[in-house]
Amino acid sequence: MEAAPVDVLLTDENMPGMRGTQLVAWARERHPEVRCLIMSAETDSDFEQAVVSLDVRVFRKPLSPEAIAELVTAVGRPSPA
């Protein structure tokens, strides 16, 4: 069975066993075109440096479910040609 394509990866930075920035790097190695969002309350310099190197958008928590839906929809739209 073939996996369905992923348009948007939404992750939290703090997860058990892996950081969100690590997940984004792993996903982009396999699918460079995937759009990524990280939700976080982090502000430390290591996190900020990882975000810059990955060129990923970060959104500060807390976010409402409606705000998350809007962000995913906006990021998931293809760029105008």
Side-chain angles (χ1 to χ4, degrees):
M1 176 187 220
E2 189 174 321
V6 174
D7 294 321
V8 178
L9 170 64
L10 172 64
T11 185
D12 197 321
E13 177 60 6
N14 291 315
M15 302 182 297
M18 179 181 277
R19 302 195 51 97
T21 47
Q22 292 172 313
L23 177 59
V24 168
W26 179 88
R28 286 196 173 154
E29 283 178 13
R30 288 148 184 83
H31 305 282
E33 72 287 352
V34 70
R35 294 171 186 96
C36 301
L37 299 168
I38 298 176
M39 297 185 303
S40 181
E42 292 285 328
T43 57
D44 68 48
S45 62
D46 289 341
F47 173 68
E48 296 297 333
Q49 187 175 11
V51 166
V52 169
S53 70
L54 289 168
D55 190 27
V56 64
R57 294 180 67 184
V58 175
F59 297 93
R60 300 290 175 210
K61 295 188 301 186
L63 292 166
S64 70
E66 295 81 14
I68 293 170
E70 288 176 20
L71 293 170
V72 169
T73 299
V75 170
R77 289 189 188 115
S79 302

